Amino acid sequence: MSTYTERFKTPVSLSEKEFTYCPGCHHGIAHRLIAEVIDELNIQGKTIMVAPVGCSVFAYDFFDVDGTVAAHGRAPAVATGIKRARPQNIVFTYQGDGDLAAIGTAEIIHAANRGEKITTIFINNAIYGMTGGQMAPTTLLGMKTTTTPYGRDETKDGYPIRVSEVLKELRGVAFLARTKVTTPQDVLKTKKYIKKAFQAQINNIGFGLVEILSTCPTNWGLTPIESMKWLEENMVKEYPLGVFIDKVG
Amino acid sequence: MEKTEKILVKGTEAIAEAAIRAGCRLYFGYPITPQSELTEYMARRLPEVNGTFLQAESEVAVVNMIYGAASTGKRVMTSTSSPGFSLMQEGISYIAGAELPCVFVNVVRGGPGLGDIQPAQSDYFQATKGGGHGDYKLVVLSPESLQEAVELTSHAFDVADKYRIPVLILTDGLLGQMMEPVSFPDFRNLDDLNDHSSWALIGTNNERAPHRVSSFDLDPVNLEKMNLNRHQKYKKITESEKLYEEYKLNDAEIVIVAYGTMGRIVKSVADKAREKGVKAGVFRPISLWPFPYEELEKWSKTAKLFFAVEMSSGQMIEDVKLSINGKRPVEFYGRMGGIVPTPGEILAKLMELI
Ligand SMILES: Cc1ncc(C[n+]2csc(CCOP(=O)(O)OP(=O)(O)O)c2C)c(N)n1
Ligand code: SF4
């Protein structure tokens, strides 16, 4: 029987650097899962990461792989440039909802539509974390943020964008799923999805994206436990979980 | 440089072919007049040399694809015209910050805004003074002929590679659309190009610590250090990469200063002035950054008057004035809106000045 520390040793693909995320933030869980997948697929040596602008701006320092940080929202275009120059490498982007669904909407849609052989991990926490809790395109109706102090109002602010549902229509997408990491079962499922999204790239099928519903206890003004509950009770309704596209098989 | 026999080509295509011969195998672009033929040429030609062509969804995407491809250490380029170049500024700032080698071509058209599609030189400030945010420089080169465009394109890739800096070829629709006989250099052996494996993103192969390509450091002390290093590099470039042409300057009383296609046109103005007994010569900066300040200043000892001619309201003239530093008067003639001044009208203005 393996011991606790053996089973929970740090994945090789994670660096020694300590995460800079707030307690209870799901960025950390997502990072660990990606690193485990990279380890298991044995692709660490050829993986190149494109970090976003947002709380995860340092992501490339947390992974022990070659990496860069793109301008806000432009990670899919940067990843495209890398992948076209080096098709033999595995390229992934890690992006928040402000990054991917606001300023970078065009870049993600077109990279997905081209069937770019890259993988995107999309952290949807319904808010801008790094800049201090402003409205994101994914902010729920009625949700209070620093720029929707009276609650998001669809007549003024529009509706929450369901990114996976939008991307579902694009024929270049090879794997697409929405998931969460609030329970151990969810964590295992999420890891399976991340693996498939990378597999879509390794098998040269097309673009892969995993949307992970995540917490932002700091800007939601909730404890980590309350945040999990809030996510379960509110976000899952607006953003149904499931696999939208799976051409990996 | 070994040269093949001369062939008749269009300006945009001359630059494209020269880039491929210089080792560029990646092109990302978005159509805009008057340079779309360059994009089209690359679409046709790159697959023939095992290269990669991609038409992006916008210039914003283009410049970020350039960032990505350049971060792998390969030779990569794009071309655009003024409004497209404006959209690329965000990415150019990041590329300059991350110190990546790549080549841009801006075939300038009349502006501001949508303007028109005629030749202009109204992007000089944006090109040479940093069009994006932050304190950075591009090497900016401006050819007067297609042969020079071909040579500067090769040179641009070498300078970009040597210093890890974006290089801009600044030209206009006149040069882009004209046809001239040029001789192309031979294809560069890709194996002989600079080895960038010490910093490029190519995967660790589980053999080394990860490479980081990035423009940022949240620690102000570190960021200042990074910026100071970059400015050390800019200083080195300023010392060794200035390019310019001098035409009939030895006895000149009037120094006409102009760049690019205007620099070519004013040579005939100088000739015509001399026929009328006015001793005129031409100073043509080829590198607009680094600008040949001292080299131009030298002529203030012998000449009485400096005369800047541009297809703009007067932008390069500021660098001319900086060079001369008040020692001699600096006069100006320019047309805006995409009108190319004729030698006759420039000569008339010059005769008024005496
Ligand atoms: C062009 C540009 N605009 C705005 C910003 C400021 N900015 C930094 S992070 C951020 C929001 C990030 O939110 P998200 O992508 O949801 O990531 P999170 O911080 O929640 O993980 C913004 C607006 C920027 N860096 N660049
Ligand atoms: S601000 Fe929110 S998203 Fe950012 S690290 Fe803290 S909890 Fe996570």
Side-chain angles (χ1 to χ4, degrees):
Chain A
M1 207 183 80
S2 59
T3 63
Y4 180 87
T5 40
E6 266 171 12
R7 293 191 58 187
F8 283 88
K9 63 181 191 295
T10 313
V12 180
S13 299
L14 275 189
S15 70
E16 307 274 288
K17 290 232 165 73
E18 259 179 52
F19 290 157
T20 38
Y21 304 115
C22 310
C25 175
H26 287 179
H27 273 307
I29 304 175
H31 277 30
R32 186 186 168 101
L33 292 179
I34 296 168
E36 285 180 6
V37 166
I38 292 174
D39 283 0
E40 286 169 27
L41 292 170
N42 202 16
I43 51 171
Q44 183 193 11
K46 58 176 183 172
T47 296
I48 299 172
M49 130 153 256
V50 184
V53 165
C55 284
S56 42
V57 67
F58 288 113
Y60 66 84
D61 262 345
F62 301 144
F63 289 90
D64 236 340
V65 300
D66 276 5
T68 185
V69 56
H72 199 26
R74 317 295 179 219
V78 171
T80 298
I82 296 174
K83 186 70 179 187
R84 296 289 176 127
R86 306 255 330 158
Q88 66 271 48
N89 287 100
I90 300 299
V91 184
F92 80 97
T93 73
Y94 185 96
Q95 303 178 255
D97 42 43
D99 195 74
L100 181 143
I103 191 166
T105 328
E107 285 78 11
I108 194 65
I109 286 187
H110 288 277
N113 189 53
R114 282 192 302 268
E116 214 59 62
K117 312 297 186 293
I118 60 172
T119 303
T120 295
I121 308 303
F122 170 42
I123 304 299
N124 178 359
N125 57 15
I127 205 156
Y128 284 13
M130 187 185 225
T131 42
Q134 297 84 7
M135 181 186 76
T138 45
T139 295
L140 303 185
L141 291 179
M143 185 174 163
K144 285 187 180 168
T145 70
T146 57
T147 49
T148 53
Y150 309 107
R152 183 177 187 163
D153 173 356
E154 70 274 22
T155 62
K156 292 204 305 268
D157 311 310
Y159 295 92
I161 290 181
R162 296 182 177 134
V163 169
S164 289
E165 282 79 352
V166 171
L167 296 182
K168 192 177 81 185
E169 301 303 321
L170 305 176
R171 283 170 282 177
V173 181
F175 184 80
L176 177 63
R178 184 185 287 125
T179 175
K180 61 187 171 78
V181 288
T182 46
T183 69
Q185 291 91 324
D186 287 323
V187 168
L188 292 177
K189 207 186 259 178
T190 301
K191 184 170 163 186
K192 207 174 81 190
Y193 294 160
I194 293 174
K195 206 173 210 170
K196 282 222 174 185
F198 273 96
Q199 204 66 56
Q201 178 177 177
I202 294 167
N203 298 359
N204 225 20
I205 309 172
F207 176 81
L209 182 140
V210 179
E211 173 174 352
I212 306 177
L213 303 184
S214 303
T215 54
C216 178
T218 304
N219 288 303
W220 291 358
L222 300 173
T223 65
I225 302 288
E226 287 166 353
S227 297
M228 300 259 235
K229 258 182 88 181
W230 191 88
L231 187 157
E232 304 263 9
E233 285 165 11
N234 300 281
M235 281 187 81
V236 177
K237 257 186 258 155
E238 179 67 40
Y239 301 112
L241 307 179
V243 176
F244 296 92
I245 295 175
D246 184 358
K247 297 183 189 163
V248 183
Chain B
M1 207 187 287
E2 271 184 62
K3 289 188 182 148
T4 53
E5 62 186 286
K6 285 197 180 234
I7 49 172
L8 191 66
V9 285
K10 202 171 185 174
T12 42
E13 304 190 337
I15 293 173
E17 181 62 28
I20 290 172
R21 286 171 188 246
C24 172
R25 292 292 178 278
L26 290 140
Y27 177 96
F28 302 90
Y30 189 85
I32 181 169
T33 309
Q35 64 77 50
S36 296
E37 297 91 340
L38 209 165
T39 312
E40 289 162 359
Y41 187 90
M42 286 301 200
R44 207 164 54 234
R45 187 81 174 93
L46 274 172
E48 294 174 354
V49 292
N50 281 328
T52 299
F53 168 87
L54 181 61
Q55 180 174 326
E57 65 270 26
S58 70
E59 287 87 351
V60 176
V62 166
V63 71
N64 285 285
M65 289 172 185
I66 297 281
Y67 177 107
S71 68
T72 71
K74 291 201 175 160
R75 291 197 163 184
V76 52
M77 82 177 291
T78 188
S79 58
T80 186
S81 183
S82 308
F85 195 60
S86 289
L87 272 183
M88 290 183 186
Q89 294 308 321
E90 174 201 51
I92 292 176
S93 166
Y94 275 75
I95 287 171
E99 302 192 62
L100 296 172
C102 54
V103 172
F104 292 86
V105 179
N106 180 2
V107 183
V108 180
R109 60 189 237 182
L114 198 52
D116 65 18
I117 59 172
Q118 306 304 325
Q121 296 185 315
S122 41
D123 296 357
Y124 182 91
F125 283 152
Q126 189 191 39
T128 62
K129 310 297 176 197
H133 61 284
D135 200 347
Y136 70 87
K137 288 291 178 192
L138 308 180
V139 172
V140 183
L141 307 172
S142 190
E144 62 150 17
S145 67
L146 298 200
Q147 187 61 51
E148 192 172 73
V150 163
E151 279 152 24
L152 285 182
T153 302
S154 288
H155 181 66
F157 278 99
D158 288 341
V159 170
D161 247 10
K162 182 171 168 196
Y163 298 97
R164 287 179 60 186
I165 189 169
V167 179
L168 168 65
I169 296 171
L170 190 70
T171 181
D172 61 61
L174 195 65
L175 210 85
Q177 298 296 320
M178 71 163 65
M179 290 186 84
E180 274 185 331
V182 303
S183 58
F184 285 104
D186 278 345
F187 280 84
R188 289 284 286 276
N189 184 346
L190 298 187
D191 297 332
D192 294 344
L193 301 181
N194 270 355
D195 177 16
H196 289 315
S197 58
S198 65
W199 59 268
L201 304 181
I202 50 179
T204 62
N205 203 19
N206 301 325
E207 284 165 354
R208 57 158 171 78
H211 287 161
R212 306 279 179 239
V213 166
S214 144
S215 62
F216 94 125
D217 201 313
L218 287 184
D219 178 339
V221 175
N222 287 343
L223 182 64
E224 185 176 52
K225 224 179 276 165
M226 232 165 106
N227 286 337
L228 285 171
N229 282 342
R230 204 169 17 254
H231 281 266
Q232 250 343 87
K233 178 169 86 177
Y234 294 159
K235 200 168 153 239
K236 217 153 92 199
I237 295 173
T238 306
E239 281 156 11
S240 31
E241 300 297 337
K242 279 188 269 192
L243 295 172
Y244 54 92
E245 185 196 354
E246 295 171 329
Y247 181 74
K248 299 191 179 171
L249 283 178
N250 281 334
D251 64 342
E253 291 173 350
I254 297 185
V255 179
I256 311 174
V257 192
Y259 70 94
T261 43
M262 234 27 260
R264 176 173 177 165
I265 290 168
V266 294
K267 281 190 214 162
S268 66
V269 175
D271 290 342
K272 286 198 177 115
R274 280 177 182 269
E275 280 166 26
K276 291 181 185 277
V278 177
K279 285 185 188 152
V282 172
F283 187 92
R284 181 172 69 88
I286 298 171
S287 59
L288 303 179
W289 192 87
F291 192 87
Y293 290 112
E294 295 80 8
E295 292 74 6
L296 178 58
E297 189 269 341
K298 196 180 84 188
W299 298 107
S300 66
K301 295 192 190 88
T302 46
K304 284 201 279 240
L305 180 72
F306 288 74
F307 180 35
V309 183
E310 298 177 66
M311 292 190 278
S312 76
S313 63
Q315 299 190 10
M316 178 205 60
I317 185 176
E318 295 195 359
D319 282 324
V320 176
K321 284 184 175 168
L322 275 177
S323 308
I324 309 310
N325 201 14
K327 289 174 194 147
R328 295 281 178 265
V330 180
E331 297 290 342
F332 176 74
Y333 183 73
R335 296 292 299 267
M336 293 184 274
I339 296 163
V340 182
T342 63
E345 68 186 273
I346 302 167
L347 182 67
K349 171 75 185 179
L350 187 148
M351 297 311 284
E352 270 174 36
L353 295 174
I354 333 176

